């Protein structure tokens, strides 16, 4: 594909010098835009997440574009049960909602994927999740969206906004069906860190709450659990990804975030060190997402 782009770029230069554009001024630009159509995109938020994805895909290489863009892009072909698909992956800009919105917007507007995935690690709800479990975000909202009302006695009353964006129901059904106990066991058994974790790997479908802060607060976690129903996890990116995917001019109907639990966002001390927890959770997120893509992605 890169070779085709270079040919088209040369044709564009030729048209500038030959007067071709006086006859068909937009032809080369239109062709180049068509070249950037991809079937699938996968969003990461950190270098560690990107490198784990690159490792498991095996053939992800830098993709040169004609876009006037500060973001680096990588691409590869991926074999599914229904044929090969083209994947484009933006190099992560930064953690947080802003980086998520920026890269998701660029991908949707420039590459027009039919499927959008976000992978990575998150904090889980300790009441329902174990380290390494997969959280499939059915919905996501920004827990910093709050109405604060100061009362006459000087105290402040908070009202939490409930503006959630969610995945489509057909995709939810496919995710629920695919991530069976048997499939989750295969993911866990293949994980290089599996011997450190004795709990059965599970998947949880529900609410992922998002805020631009790295959470280590017992009080805040308690507050979130009391304010929202069916909270499964907490991260810094999902709501930006969902909001953009839902409200962009070129909307992508098939989008989902699948992340692995690496901590609980509180001050609890873990017996297993943080790097092992993160590696275990991240592998499960990437491997589970790629397995789902292989079986369930259908390009129209």
């Amino acid at each position: 594909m890169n070779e085709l782009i270079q040919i088209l770029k040369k044709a564009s230069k030729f048209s500038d010098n030959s007067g071709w554009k006086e006859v068909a001024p937009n032809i080369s630009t239109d062709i180049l835009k068509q070249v950037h159509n991809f079937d699938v995109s996968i969003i990461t938020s950190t270098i560690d997440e990107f490198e784990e994805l690159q490792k498991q895909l095996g053939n992800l290489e830098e993709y040169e574009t004609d876009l006037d863009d500060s973001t680096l892009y990588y691409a590869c072909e991926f074999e599914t049960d229904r044929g090969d698909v083209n994947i484009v992956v933006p190099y992560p800009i930064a953690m947080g909602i802003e980086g998520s919105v920026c890269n998701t917007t660029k991908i949707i507007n420039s590459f027009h994927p039919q499927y959008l995935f976000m992978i990575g690690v998150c904090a889980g709800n300790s009441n329902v999740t174990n380290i390494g479990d997969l959280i499939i975000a059915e919905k996501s909202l920004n827990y910093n969206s709050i109405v604060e009302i100061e009362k006459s006695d000087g105290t402040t009353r908070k009202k939490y906004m409930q503006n959630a964006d969610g995945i489509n129901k057909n995709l939810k059904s496919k995710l629920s069906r695919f991530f069976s106990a048997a499939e989750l066991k295969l993911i866990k058994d293949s994980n290089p860190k599996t011997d450190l974790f004795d709990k059965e790997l599970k998947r949880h479908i529900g609410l992922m709450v998002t805020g631009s802060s790295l959470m280590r607060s017992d009080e805040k976690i308690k507050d979130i659990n009391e304010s929202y129903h069916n909270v499964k996890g907490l991260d810094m990116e999902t709501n930006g990804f969902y909001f953009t995917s839902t409200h962009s001019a070129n909307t992508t109907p098939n989008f989902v975030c699948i992340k692995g639990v690496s901590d609980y966002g509180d001050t609890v001390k873990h017996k297993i060190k943080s790097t092992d927890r993160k590696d275990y959770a991240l592998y499960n997120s990437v491997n589970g997402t790629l397995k789902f893509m292989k079986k369930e992605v259908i390009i129209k």
Side-chain angles (χ1 to χ4, degrees):
M1 185 172 288
N2 283 340
E3 289 81 3
L4 177 57
I5 291 173
Q6 296 305 317
I7 292 170
L8 292 171
K9 283 183 176 179
K10 290 178 181 178
S12 178
K13 291 178 181 178
F14 170 76
S15 69
D16 290 337
N17 297 328
S18 66
W20 177 21
K21 286 195 173 182
E22 293 179 6
V23 179
N26 296 319
I27 188 167
S28 60
T29 301
D30 290 341
I31 293 171
L32 283 171
K33 285 181 179 178
Q34 292 170 10
V35 170
H36 299 309
N37 286 340
F38 277 77
D39 303 315
V40 175
S41 183
I42 304 175
I43 309 289
T44 63
S45 303
T46 68
I47 295 173
D48 288 342
E49 292 172 359
F50 175 85
E51 289 180 345
E52 180 62 30
L53 176 62
Q54 188 175 40
K55 177 181 176 181
Q56 292 199 37
L57 280 171
N59 58 344
L60 193 63
E61 297 181 352
E62 188 169 351
Y63 175 73
E64 294 184 12
T65 77
D66 62 329
L67 303 172
D68 185 13
D69 191 345
S70 60
T71 299
L72 297 175
Y73 297 97
Y74 289 74
C76 69
E77 287 191 347
F78 181 77
E79 183 180 351
T80 76
D81 288 354
R82 295 172 176 84
D84 291 348
V85 298
N86 294 319
I87 299 176
V88 62
V89 180
Y91 195 74
I93 298 174
M95 296 173 66
I97 291 175
E98 296 86 352
S100 174
V101 168
C102 184
N103 263 352
T104 306
T105 300
K106 289 180 177 184
I107 285 294
I108 291 174
N109 289 340
S110 298
F111 298 95
H112 318 292
Q114 294 186 37
Y115 287 83
L116 260 174
F117 294 92
M118 174 173 276
I119 57 91
V121 297
C122 65
N125 183 341
S126 62
N127 296 320
V128 295
T129 68
N130 295 315
I131 298 299
D133 281 1
L134 293 178
I135 295 180
I136 299 168
E138 178 185 5
K139 296 180 179 179
S140 183
L141 54 76
N142 186 343
Y143 65 73
N144 287 321
S145 295
I146 302 171
V147 176
E148 297 190 18
I149 303 170
E150 186 175 337
K151 300 200 260 185
S152 58
D153 62 1
T155 61
T156 301
R157 182 162 60 95
K158 295 181 179 180
K159 289 186 177 181
Y160 287 81
M161 308 292 282
Q162 304 285 336
N163 302 323
D165 294 295
I167 64 177
N168 74 57
K169 301 306 179 186
N170 180 265
L171 183 59
K172 176 189 172 184
S173 296
K174 289 182 178 180
L175 289 158
S176 178
R177 177 185 64 191
F178 175 78
F179 285 103
S180 62
E183 193 65 49
L184 290 163
K185 186 177 186 305
L186 291 174
I187 295 170
K188 184 179 190 303
D189 288 348
S190 68
N191 194 313
K193 303 277 186 176
T194 191
D195 290 343
L196 298 174
F197 300 88
D198 56 2
K199 297 287 180 64
E200 177 186 0
L201 183 63
K202 296 181 178 180
R203 62 102 172 114
H204 309 269
I205 301 177
L207 178 64
M208 180 85 81
V209 296
T210 298
S212 289
S213 57
L214 187 62
M215 188 68 66
R216 293 291 183 273
S217 170
D218 296 329
E219 182 179 352
K220 186 66 176 180
I221 292 297
K222 181 175 181 291
D223 194 22
I224 287 171
N225 282 327
E226 291 176 349
S227 303
Y228 302 108
H229 174 67
N230 196 32
V231 175
K232 303 300 184 184
L234 179 151
D235 78 344
M236 298 174 63
E237 294 85 23
T238 300
N239 184 244
F241 172 57
Y242 277 31
F243 185 88
T244 307
S245 298
T246 302
H247 298 285
S248 292
N250 300 312
T251 57
T252 300
N254 299 301
F255 62 88
V256 66
C257 175
I258 304 173
K259 289 193 174 184
V261 175
S262 63
D263 60 63
Y264 299 122
D266 54 21
T267 60
V268 170
K269 302 295 183 183
H270 295 267
K271 294 180 180 179
I272 300 173
K273 61 184 182 179
S274 62
T275 52
D276 288 331
R277 286 185 279 112
K278 184 178 70 174
D279 289 347
Y280 179 65
L282 182 53
Y283 177 93
N284 292 341
S285 167
V286 175
N287 192 255
T289 300
L290 295 181
K291 282 179 174 290
F292 176 79
M293 284 173 51
K294 180 175 175 58
K295 293 287 186 183
E296 298 291 346
V297 163
I298 302 174
I299 300 302
K300 298 179 180 179

